[in-house]
Amino acid sequence: IITMGISYLLMIFISRELGEEGIGIYNLSLAILGVLIMIGCLGFNTSVIRFVSQYNAKGWLSSIRSLYSSIIRVILPLALLLGVILFFLAPYLAQVVYEDPKLELPFRIVAFTLPFGILATVNVEFIRGLKKVHISELFRNLSLQIVTLLGLALAWFYGLEDEYPI
């Protein structure tokens, strides 16, 4: 219920401050972020639940730590690489693919947040594998809305919405 309320407040804030164009840019940015997070996780986010819960049931905490560090060593460089690629492709995507130069900044913001999103997604599944479902769902659902609200509030405070529809 809290997550739904915050999501609703977020949509109200975006629509009032940035209008329908802002909602469209926000949804496009979320879609791109979601696809790239899925690619960047390499499927570890789904497979990790099984192994972590299995290791946890057997009390193999060292195996959980080893699995975690192995996965992070694989996805962190990929996450950073995807973020850098998107950052430098942002002008091309905005101007050539979408024919809207105003999209460059939102794409660059997505590029900056992408590595954090990939790491957060994998971490949430580790928490879920440890049978702490309430905590994992709180992080999964609430953290994106709160970070987005804070980012938009800062952009609004500094007047970025006058220059860019974020």
Side-chain angles (χ1 to χ4, degrees), residues 105-118:
L105 179 64
F107 289 163
R108 287 200 165 156
I109 291 170
V110 169
F112 178 73
T113 60
L114 179 63
F116 299 107
I118 292 170

Side-chain angles (χ1 to χ4, degrees), residues 87-108:
F87 186 85
F88 288 111
L89 280 180
Y92 174 79
L93 290 172
Q95 296 171 10
V96 176
V97 176
Y98 290 99
E99 298 176 355
D100 187 355
K102 292 186 238 176
L103 292 174
E104 183 178 339
L105 179 64
F107 289 163
R108 287 200 165 156

Side-chain angles (χ1 to χ4, degrees), residues 17 29 45 48 62 74 96 105 111 120 127-128 132 152 156-157:
E17 295 300 321
S29 298
N45 56 323
V48 77
S62 63
V74 171
V96 176
L105 179 64
I127 294 168
R128 190 172 180 189
K132 300 184 187 285
L152 287 172
W156 177 75
F157 180 76

Side-chain angles (χ1 to χ4, degrees), residues 1-165:
I1 294 173
I2 292 170
T3 302
M4 287 174 51
I6 290 178
S7 293
Y8 183 69
L9 290 174
L10 178 61
M11 288 298 130
I12 289 173
F13 180 82
I14 293 172
S15 64
R16 284 187 180 165
E17 295 300 321
L18 303 174
E20 60 189 37
E21 184 179 3
I23 291 284
I25 291 171
Y26 174 73
N27 287 330
L28 176 63
S29 298
L30 278 184
I32 291 170
L33 183 64
V35 168
L36 291 175
I37 284 175
M38 194 171 29
I39 292 168
C41 285
L42 295 174
F44 287 127
N45 56 323
T46 54
S47 64
V48 77
I49 297 170
R50 174 181 176 242
F51 292 110
V52 170
S53 61
Q54 179 182 350
Y55 297 161
N56 190 39
K58 293 180 181 180
W60 297 351
L61 294 180
S62 63
S63 295
I64 294 173
R65 286 187 198 103
S66 176
L67 177 66
Y68 181 78
S69 63
S70 297
I71 289 174
I72 294 301
R73 277 191 300 245
V74 171
I75 67 165
L76 185 59
L78 178 61
L80 293 171
L81 178 66
L82 287 173
V84 167
I85 289 170
L86 179 60
F87 186 85
F88 288 111
L89 280 180
Y92 174 79
L93 290 172
Q95 296 171 10
V96 176
V97 176
Y98 290 99
E99 298 176 355
D100 187 355
K102 292 186 238 176
L103 292 174
E104 183 178 339
L105 179 64
F107 289 163
R108 287 200 165 156
I109 291 170
V110 169
F112 178 73
T113 60
L114 179 63
F116 299 107
I118 292 170
L119 290 174
T121 300
V122 171
N123 283 320
V124 161
E125 299 308 329
F126 263 92
I127 294 168
R128 190 172 180 189
L130 292 170
K131 305 287 187 215
K132 300 184 187 285
V133 178
H134 288 88
I135 295 171
S136 71
E137 290 306 308
L138 178 70
F139 281 118
R140 177 195 323 271
N141 297 320
L142 196 56
S143 60
L144 178 64
Q145 282 84 9
I146 289 175
V147 169
T148 304
L149 270 175
L150 289 174
L152 287 172
L154 284 172
W156 177 75
F157 180 76
Y158 286 107
L160 289 178
E161 82 280 357
D162 296 336
E163 252 182 87
Y164 299 101

